[in-house]
Amino acid sequence: MNAIISASALADALAGPNPPVLLDVRWQLSLAKAAGEPPFDGRAAYAAGHLPGAVFVDLDRELAGTPGERGRHPLPGLAEFGAAMRRAGVSSGTPVVVYDGGQGWAAARAWWMLRWTGHPDVRVLDGGLPSWEGPLSQEEPTPREGDFEPVAGAGLLDADGAAALARSGVLFDARAAERYRGDVEPIDRVGGHIPGAISAPTTENVTSDGRFLPAEELRARFQALGAAEGTEVGVYCGSGVSGAHEVLALAVAGIPAALYVGSWSEWSSDPERPVAVGAEPQ
């Protein structure tokens, strides 16, 4: 099953006999709070206009647990996540389409969590809300309670697993290259990367309008970075959000990959863990 869906294909699916549940996961990584400015408000953006029938899902509260030693966006408890998804109308037998404001990171986090916990049919709207040419709604729906019961699956890395994979397979760092090199670090305790990890900024997986590159181009990109046939692949980022977008890009390319959810925010919080700097994996 393709992991992404175009706006035109989504319009057709919504008009069909088994329309998907729509989840609006608008969110932005914002440094505004540190500067004393109000952070991005995804719920306000949703209230101003969303795809008709879409239910808002709060990434910080429903797709992540409490920030701490496990990182800035650790996994929520399965019970809490399941309750949030059922509230949004998610059932195992109904397809789900997730979208955000266009960057794709937040939608990918929801996609990854639903897939990781066993939902069989989840796709991300390619290009997000800006790609939608139909009408928007300000009406907040009240969906029928879903029946989805999440079960933890494979494809999850912890810090030790990520470190080992950087040596035995391929571990991609999805952050901007300057953060990988350690030139700047605007959020976490220290800059740099996990030793052995390869820089693969997620921004290079999409076109200027936020849509994914064709599958064959993505496959060529990742293979050139070391993801050869049969190689185990993992991804991390700052806090497990943009990394999910890279896992999604890899899925589009036909390459399975695991996600280190704690990512750099967890790794760098422990001064005992090694840190590499510069352009080389080391």
Side-chain angles (χ1 to χ4, degrees):
M1 183 191 72
N2 199 342
I4 57 176
I5 185 172
S6 68
S8 59
L10 174 58
D12 289 343
L14 290 170
N18 187 29
V21 171
L22 293 177
L23 303 182
D24 182 313
V25 197
R26 272 180 275 182
W27 172 91
Q28 290 179 13
L29 177 63
S30 175
L31 303 180
K33 189 174 182 180
E37 301 173 7
F40 174 79
D41 188 337
R43 181 170 286 281
Y46 167 83
H50 52 266
L51 268 64
V55 177
F56 180 73
V57 173
D58 190 312
L59 186 148
D60 290 317
R61 293 178 174 84
E62 296 175 314
L63 302 181
T66 303
E69 292 183 355
R70 295 187 299 134
R72 281 181 279 110
H73 290 104
L75 289 176
L78 285 180
E80 290 78 12
F81 174 63
M85 293 299 97
R86 291 190 294 274
R87 173 195 64 80
V90 174
S91 292
S92 296
T94 303
V96 178
V97 172
V98 190
Y99 71 91
D100 59 23
Q103 187 180 44
W105 294 3
R109 170 76 175 221
W111 167 85
W112 180 85
M113 289 196 63
L114 282 165
R115 294 292 294 149
W116 175 66
T117 55
H119 197 287
D121 189 350
V122 190
R123 287 176 286 179
V124 170
L125 175 59
D126 195 18
L129 187 63
S131 71
W132 180 254
E133 297 180 354
L136 298 180
S137 172
Q138 294 181 332
E139 180 180 350
E140 185 168 351
T142 304
R144 175 187 293 182
E145 182 87 3
D147 64 15
F148 179 63
E149 293 287 348
V151 177
L156 178 66
L157 294 170
D158 60 12
D160 290 340
L165 185 57
R167 302 302 183 188
S168 65
V170 172
L171 180 67
F172 289 134
D173 185 318
R175 298 172 301 160
E178 58 267 26
R179 290 185 69 191
Y180 171 88
R181 294 191 301 266
D183 298 346
V184 298
E185 181 43 64
I187 307 173
D188 295 312
R189 185 185 67 84
V190 64
H193 57 269
I194 296 173
I198 295 170
S199 180
T202 193
T203 51
E204 297 180 17
N205 297 326
V206 296
T207 61
S208 59
D209 62 2
R211 289 178 171 86
F212 282 101
L213 296 172
E216 58 272 16
E217 291 185 29
L218 288 171
R219 191 176 307 113
R221 180 194 184 215
F222 291 123
Q223 288 177 344
L225 290 171
E229 185 77 26
T231 301
E232 188 176 358
V233 178
V235 179
Y236 76 96
C237 57
S239 63
V241 180
S242 67
H245 190 265
E246 186 119 300
V247 173
L248 175 57
L250 284 154
V252 172
I255 302 172
L259 178 65
Y260 173 26
V261 173
S263 285
W264 190 248
S265 60
E266 179 187 38
W267 183 277
S268 64
S269 70
D270 184 349
E272 297 298 317
R273 294 194 184 104
V275 171
V277 296
E280 298 301 321
Q282 300 181 30

